[in-house]
Amino acid sequence: MENLSDKNITIVGLGLIGGSMAKAITKNLKVKNIWAVDTDENTLKLAMEEKVINCGYIDPKYPLENSDIVIICTYPDTTLKFIKSNVDYFKSNALITDTTGIKKSIVEKINNILREDTIFIGGHPMAGREVSGYKFSNEDIFKNSEYILSPTDNTCEKSLTMLTQLIKGIGFKKVTFMSPDIHDKKIAFTSQLPHVIACALINNTGLEEDTSGIGGSFKDMTRVANINSNLWCELISENKDNVLKEMNIFMEDLSNIYEVIEKNDKKELEKLFEKSSMRRKGIDDENTNC
Amino acid sequence: MENLSDKNITIVGLGLIGGSMAKAITKNLKVKNIWAVDTDENTLKLAMEEKVINCGYIDPKYPLENSDIVIICTYPDTTLKFIKSNVDYFKSNALITDTTGIKKSIVEKINNILREDTIFIGGHPMAGREVSGYKFSNEDIFKNSEYILSPTDNTCEKSLTMLTQLIKGIGFKKVTFMSPDIHDKKIAFTSQLPHVIACALINNTGLEEDTSGIGGSFKDMTRVANINSNLWCELISENKDNVLKEMNIFMEDLSNIYEVIEKNDKKELEKLFEKSSMRRKGIDDENTNC
């Protein structure tokens, strides 16, 4: 069991995820120092006033030179730029992790940039809200959620154990290990496809006239249509091939149901609905609340 | 303002909706009698023991002969059969309404069956759960929900006012009037299409391997995939043409997004996401909780 109490941790990017990370660590774990790096001085000041962090920095030099763990909570592109321009500052043997929703390109690129004496493990906290910014950050968003870690063949066991321990310690219910490649394939289906579907559905011109007759099914299905455009454009274009592949499969599945309905094949339609009911119950049983 | 306290009301079919109706009426309204007709004697007994109804009947003759308002809470096909086989029993000037999720075929067929001296108004409570049966019934499922009524050119104002008053009285937030034709077109998009999408999405073979990496977006999007197969087969095949039309439009919209992603046109993709965010916020503002 790794001891975190002698570790300095730096959060880079004090937004919804970074802020929630800092709050969760301060609330649940005993660490030596929890620092934050952000471009917005007011956010850093607020986080210090709220005793969420010990100290906030605009210039990352000092916290990076002295941090054993660095959690980067910015968009994919910013994450890469940050590591590139600060690669010399990281403490020797520092464990660095990101929180972006794509892994393959990120992990490859970062491992090419980073120094040999630092360790990077890609991470994806499967938690979020339809809002962004520190003011919405809250450690509760992690409760009962899943956190995906993408170790590579070179990832050392000790660092993986420490990171897993930290993640469980801040409230995540489940930590899943997935190669960057598998992660991106999976997320294209379980996360990016649903966002695209929600967007297509709600942009339907029919809704321009009026929004009466909208029930719970439509609302739940389009919840994520209220999307962070910049972030999701980045995520989807970085995972383009997988997303397009999943969209094709989905449109094919939908066409098959179309034919079943067109043929008025009630037996087959019932079968499809029975299968979907069984599947959906299964998900609730396996991942309750996460 | 119509006085309901001298009215006998009969609920036909004491399932999730019928049971919730009976409970909501008993709890919130002063009526002369609330009766129920069901094929299951135990359910009727239980509802009487729970003081949800004054009396339950297997044979509909007596309650129909003495009811001013009859609310039929069965599947579309059963609703038609029930009215057909009991058409002579209805009290003269009785107000009859259904609660099925389709209207055009139902309203037309019922108006052709019913006696001249009875009034029918099609209705659709936009409330439900992924469960069925009296044991799950609860008046709370109506809270903050929308109820669609489908009057025709012959619908008398007085009956429409009385029914609206009853619906508001049992907790529905909003009553919307829609012609049967408009209702079916709208519901094909706002309700039946989401159910078909959820079913297509969750039946994806990828889920056979494992269900890790499933986040909130996927869960919300597939909630209604846990579906009442028999009921939804009936609803969709009765509204086949509208459902197929909406499926076509949706698949076209999805293909357009596919092209945008394929071309890596970030500007256009951002535009689409910004539009969807604005639309989704709009729905929350307009139909909060309903």
Side-chain angles (χ1 to χ4, degrees):
Chain A
M1 191 74 167
E2 266 294 329
N3 184 7
L4 292 168
S5 61
D6 64 346
K7 303 276 186 280
N8 291 326
I9 301 179
T10 289
I11 306 285
V12 178
L14 216 51
L16 178 74
I17 295 298
S20 303
M21 282 273 181
K23 288 176 181 177
I25 290 169
T26 303
K27 193 179 174 189
N28 303 303
L29 302 175
K30 203 185 162 317
V31 299
K32 194 169 168 195
N33 283 293
I34 169 91
W35 295 320
V37 172
D38 200 278
T39 53
D40 178 16
E41 198 156 9
N42 295 328
T43 301
L44 293 170
K45 272 188 191 148
L46 180 60
M48 279 189 277
E49 282 163 18
E50 293 180 341
K51 299 196 171 0
V52 168
I53 56 172
N54 301 110
C55 194
Y57 301 85
I58 299 279
D59 177 357
K61 190 171 185 300
Y62 175 81
L64 293 189
E65 282 174 345
N66 296 281
S67 286
D68 309 282
I69 302 172
V70 179
I71 305 169
I72 307 177
C73 304
T74 56
Y75 291 6
D77 193 41
T78 318
T79 302
L80 285 169
K81 286 187 182 130
F82 180 86
I83 292 179
K84 209 173 225 158
S85 41
N86 298 289
V87 68
D88 300 333
Y89 295 149
F90 291 106
K91 185 180 175 183
S92 187
N93 296 316
L95 166 58
I96 305 154
T97 186
D98 76 318
T99 55
T100 63
I102 44 157
K103 289 282 142 277
K104 196 168 184 303
S105 54
I106 284 279
V107 174
E108 275 171 9
K109 288 176 190 158
I110 291 175
N111 280 324
N112 293 337
I113 300 167
L114 274 177
R115 295 192 334 253
E116 284 289 325
D117 64 330
T118 54
I119 304 118
F120 178 78
I121 301 172
H124 179 192
M126 297 198 61
R129 291 287 178 272
E130 283 73 68
V131 288
S132 57
Y134 177 80
K135 66 176 179 295
F136 295 108
S137 65
N138 184 330
E139 63 272 17
D140 291 345
I141 70 172
F142 300 148
K143 279 204 181 116
N144 296 315
S145 297
E146 179 178 2
Y147 203 113
I148 300 174
L149 287 179
S150 292
T152 62
D153 304 344
N154 316 325
T155 307
C156 81
E157 193 58 35
K158 193 181 162 213
S159 310
L160 197 58
T161 311
M162 185 162 68
L163 192 52
T164 305
Q165 178 186 332
L166 187 150
I167 292 161
K168 288 257 177 99
I170 60 174
F172 280 88
K173 183 187 178 185
K174 185 178 169 190
V175 179
T176 313
F177 299 144
M178 249 179 239
S179 74
D181 199 33
I182 299 286
H183 168 277
D184 287 6
K185 284 196 177 97
K186 194 167 258 305
I187 249 42
F189 170 62
T190 61
S191 173
Q192 288 158 346
L193 177 61
H195 280 77
V196 169
I197 290 171
C199 168
L201 195 58
I202 204 146
N203 284 354
N204 179 295
T205 49
L207 284 177
E208 272 157 21
E209 298 137 26
D210 75 303
T211 60
S212 61
I214 287 179
S217 58
F218 189 87
K219 287 196 163 166
D220 285 356
M221 181 151 286
T222 55
R223 180 181 62 85
V224 293
N226 182 0
I227 203 171
N228 178 333
S229 325
N230 307 332
L231 172 61
W232 282 87
C233 277
E234 236 184 277
L235 292 174
I236 285 171
S237 69
E238 280 290 335
N239 200 18
K240 187 182 155 184
D241 296 347
N242 287 319
V243 173
L244 293 177
K245 187 171 158 258
E246 291 301 337
M247 284 180 79
N248 270 326
I249 295 169
F250 173 72
M251 287 191 277
E252 209 169 287
D253 292 346
L254 213 53
S255 310
N256 294 337
I257 299 185
Y258 184 98
E259 278 174 27
V260 172
I261 296 172
E262 199 176 29
K263 279 188 288 178
N264 218 347
D265 185 346
K266 288 191 188 180
K267 260 211 168 66
E268 185 55 30
L269 192 59
E270 268 196 42
K271 260 197 219 154
L272 286 168
F273 286 154
E274 273 152 21
K275 183 180 176 185
S276 72
S277 300
M278 205 186 61
R279 284 275 182 95
R280 188 57 181 81
K281 286 191 195 108
I283 287 176
D284 279 336
D285 299 345
E286 284 178 47
N287 319 34
T288 313
N289 304 326
C290 88
Chain B
M1 189 74 166
E2 266 293 329
N3 183 8
L4 292 168
S5 62
D6 64 345
K7 304 275 187 281
N8 291 325
I9 301 180
T10 288
I11 307 285
V12 179
L14 215 51
L16 177 73
I17 296 296
S20 303
M21 282 270 182
K23 287 176 181 178
I25 290 168
T26 302
K27 192 178 175 189
N28 303 303
L29 302 175
K30 202 185 164 316
V31 300
K32 194 171 170 192
N33 283 293
I34 170 91
W35 296 319
V37 173
D38 199 278
T39 53
D40 178 15
E41 199 156 7
N42 296 328
T43 301
L44 293 170
K45 272 189 191 146
L46 179 59
M48 278 189 279
E49 282 163 18
E50 294 180 340
K51 300 199 170 2
V52 168
I53 55 172
N54 301 110
C55 194
Y57 302 85
I58 299 280
D59 177 357
K61 190 170 186 299
Y62 176 81
L64 293 190
E65 282 174 344
N66 296 281
S67 287
D68 309 282
I69 302 172
V70 179
I71 306 169
I72 307 177
C73 304
T74 56
Y75 291 5
D77 193 43
T78 318
T79 302
L80 285 168
K81 286 189 183 127
F82 179 86
I83 292 178
K84 209 172 223 159
S85 41
N86 298 291
V87 68
D88 300 333
Y89 296 150
F90 292 104
K91 185 180 175 182
S92 186
N93 297 316
L95 167 59
I96 305 154
T97 186
D98 75 319
T99 57
T100 64
I102 43 158
K103 288 284 143 276
K104 196 170 184 300
S105 55
I106 284 278
V107 173
E108 274 172 9
K109 288 175 189 159
I110 290 176
N111 280 325
N112 293 338
I113 300 167
L114 274 176
R115 295 190 337 250
E116 285 289 324
D117 65 330
T118 55
I119 306 117
F120 177 78
I121 302 173
H124 179 192
M126 298 199 60
R129 290 289 178 271
E130 284 72 68
V131 289
S132 58
Y134 176 81
K135 66 175 179 297
F136 294 107
S137 65
N138 182 331
E139 62 272 16
D140 291 343
I141 70 172
F142 300 147
K143 277 202 182 120
N144 295 316
S145 297
E146 179 177 3
Y147 204 114
I148 300 174
L149 287 179
S150 293
T152 61
D153 305 345
N154 315 325
T155 307
C156 81
E157 194 57 35
K158 194 183 161 207
S159 311
L160 196 59
T161 311
M162 184 160 70
L163 192 52
T164 305
Q165 179 185 334
L166 187 150
I167 291 162
K168 289 256 176 101
I170 60 174
F172 280 88
K173 182 186 178 186
K174 183 177 169 191
V175 179
T176 313
F177 299 143
M178 250 180 241
S179 74
D181 199 32
I182 298 287
H183 168 276
D184 287 6
K185 284 195 175 100
K186 193 166 259 304
I187 249 41
F189 171 62
T190 61
S191 173
Q192 289 157 347
L193 177 61
H195 280 79
V196 169
I197 290 171
C199 169
L201 195 58
I202 204 148
N203 284 352
N204 179 295
T205 48
L207 283 178
E208 272 156 20
E209 299 137 27
D210 75 302
T211 60
S212 61
I214 287 179
S217 58
F218 190 86
K219 287 196 161 166
D220 285 357
M221 182 152 283
T222 55
R223 181 181 61 86
V224 293
N226 182 0
I227 202 169
N228 177 334
S229 328
N230 307 331
L231 173 60
W232 281 87
C233 277
E234 236 184 276
L235 292 173
I236 286 171
S237 70
E238 281 289 334
N239 200 19
K240 187 181 155 183
D241 296 346
N242 287 320
V243 173
L244 293 177
K245 188 171 157 258
E246 291 301 337
M247 285 180 80
N248 270 326
I249 295 170
F250 174 70
M251 287 192 275
E252 209 169 288
D253 292 344
L254 213 54
S255 312
N256 294 339
I257 299 185
Y258 184 98
E259 280 173 29
V260 172
I261 296 171
E262 198 176 31
K263 278 187 288 177
N264 219 349
D265 185 346
K266 288 192 187 179
K267 260 212 168 65
E268 184 55 29
L269 193 59
E270 267 196 43
K271 257 196 219 155
L272 285 168
F273 287 154
E274 273 153 21
K275 183 179 175 186
S276 73
S277 300
M278 203 186 62
R279 284 274 183 95
R280 188 58 180 81
K281 287 193 194 108
I283 287 175
D284 279 337
D285 298 344
E286 283 178 47
N287 320 35
T288 313
N289 305 326
C290 86

